[in-house]
């Protein structure tokens, strides 16, 4: 069975600085995908970034990037130049090509201080 | 943009009631999902559907059922509501291939309280 663990229930960052959210996962699948989702206080979950496990290159989307360490089964999210609008709960998730089901971590609440 | 609409943002029901949560998506997605979100537990999959009239159990299906009579609509049913089903419920959809890496698109959620 797949599991996803986010060990940081809460994080805070000063506006304009950089923060890294941690995520580890466990899977026996050889082919899988990893995602970071953001859930702002208004509660609609939106995709931040995704990574295919077969790709060695770390995904990047503007100020958001990941550090994908396949051997360590680690998938951290780095947010650069943090903005007030980045304040949200962030979920790490993993899906396998076999099942298509998405397994979520517990979530990390990010506070951005002005 | 994909729009996933859940019929209620807040809902209060009594124990033993039959509760319907409705979800509609406007992008002709084959796949639809129901999750519940609880503090410290993240999102847990209740049921999902790959196509009309098809359904698959997720990780926590007990006490729930679903209905998918039309492609755009996926309903979650609490047969006899209990207080431990008080939670936030999220609906999501994705296209078009089950085994793809396409992201899921979520609704705003329904905060359900069972008294």
């Amino acid at each position: 069975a797949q599991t996803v663990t986010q060990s940081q229930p809460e994080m805070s960052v000063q506006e304009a600085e950089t923060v890294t959210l941690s995520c580890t996962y466990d899977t026996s699948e050889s082919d899988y995908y990893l995602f970071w989702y953001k859930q702002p206080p208004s509660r609609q979950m939106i995709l931040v970034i995704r990574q295919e496990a077969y790709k060695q290159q770390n995904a990047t989307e503007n100020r958001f990037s990941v550090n994908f360490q396949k051997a360590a089964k680690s998938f951290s999210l780095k947010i650069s130049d943090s903005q007030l609008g980045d304040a949200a709960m962030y979920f790490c998730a993993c899906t396998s090509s076999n099942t298509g089901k998405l397994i979520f971590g517990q979530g990390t609440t990010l506070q951005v201080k002005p | 943009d994909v729009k996933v609409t859940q019929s209620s943002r807040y809902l209060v029901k009594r124990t033993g009631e039959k509760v319907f949560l409705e979800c509609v998506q406007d992008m002709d997605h084959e796949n639809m999902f129901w999750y519940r979100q609880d503090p410290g537990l993240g999102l847990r999959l209740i049921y999902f559907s790959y196509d009309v009239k098809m359904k698959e159990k997720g990780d926590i299906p007990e006490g729930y059922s679903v209905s998918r009579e039309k492609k755009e609509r996926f309903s979650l049913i609490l047969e006899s509501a209990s207080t431990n089903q008080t939670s936030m419920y999220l609906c999501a959809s994705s296209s078009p291939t089950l085994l793809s890496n396409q992201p899921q698109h979520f609704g705003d959620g329904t905060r359900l309280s069972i008294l």
Side-chain angles (χ1 to χ4, degrees):
Chain A
Q2 291 179 312
T3 59
V4 178
T5 303
Q6 294 176 250
S7 58
Q8 307 155 315
E10 296 178 351
M11 293 280 286
S12 66
V13 63
Q14 208 69 34
E15 194 176 7
E17 295 192 345
T18 296
V19 65
T20 298
L21 308 184
S22 301
C23 173
T24 58
Y25 63 93
D26 192 17
T27 180
S28 57
E29 305 287 340
S30 57
D31 189 14
Y32 56 92
Y33 307 99
L34 296 161
F35 303 83
W36 277 98
Y37 282 88
K38 171 185 177 181
Q39 188 181 44
S42 63
R43 283 177 286 174
Q44 185 173 54
M45 193 94 69
I46 56 174
L47 178 69
V48 175
I49 198 165
R50 61 183 163 186
Q51 173 85 40
E52 291 86 350
Y54 63 85
K55 289 187 178 178
Q56 292 186 334
Q57 187 173 8
N58 289 326
T60 299
E61 289 285 342
N62 300 313
R63 296 182 296 106
F64 298 87
S65 61
V66 299
N67 183 5
F68 175 45
Q69 302 288 329
K70 191 171 184 178
K73 294 183 177 176
S74 170
F75 182 62
S76 60
L77 175 69
K78 186 171 84 171
I79 305 174
S80 303
D81 185 25
S82 297
Q83 300 175 0
L84 295 177
D86 295 334
M89 181 167 280
Y90 287 82
F91 289 96
C92 178
C94 178
T95 188
S96 80
S97 61
N98 285 340
T99 67
K101 294 196 302 184
L102 206 53
I103 305 298
F104 285 85
Q106 301 89 334
T108 298
T109 299
L110 177 66
Q111 181 186 22
V112 181
K113 298 178 180 178
Chain B
D1 276 353
V2 175
K3 190 161 179 66
V4 179
T5 304
Q6 294 184 231
S7 53
S8 304
R9 290 294 297 269
Y10 301 93
L11 206 54
V12 180
K13 297 291 183 180
R14 297 202 174 275
T15 54
E17 280 193 70
K18 191 169 186 176
V19 181
F20 294 84
L21 303 184
E22 306 287 345
C23 176
V24 176
Q25 50 94 3
D26 65 358
M27 283 300 290
D28 203 34
H29 285 171
E30 276 79 4
N31 308 326
M32 296 189 74
F33 308 83
W34 274 107
Y35 298 89
R36 63 176 285 174
Q37 180 180 358
D38 299 289
L41 297 178
L43 277 72
R44 294 178 292 166
L45 182 63
I46 305 171
Y47 267 96
F48 58 110
S49 170
Y50 303 149
D51 204 347
V52 176
K53 296 193 186 296
M54 294 182 67
K55 60 184 179 184
E56 295 282 343
K57 292 181 180 179
D59 299 316
I60 51 165
E62 297 77 19
Y64 303 95
S65 63
V66 290
S67 172
R68 190 148 181 218
E69 296 297 319
K70 293 184 177 181
K71 193 174 187 179
E72 67 270 19
R73 186 179 297 270
F74 192 35
S75 303
L76 179 69
I77 304 156
L78 286 66
E79 297 291 344
S80 178
S82 64
T83 54
N84 63 10
Q85 292 178 309
T86 291
S87 186
M88 169 70 77
Y89 290 87
L90 293 174
C91 175
S93 71
S94 71
S95 72
T97 305
L98 173 66
L99 303 183
S100 77
N101 66 345
Q102 293 303 307
Q104 295 183 16
H105 301 268
F106 287 83
D108 287 340
T110 296
R111 173 76 66 186
L112 176 64
S113 296
I114 306 297
L115 305 178

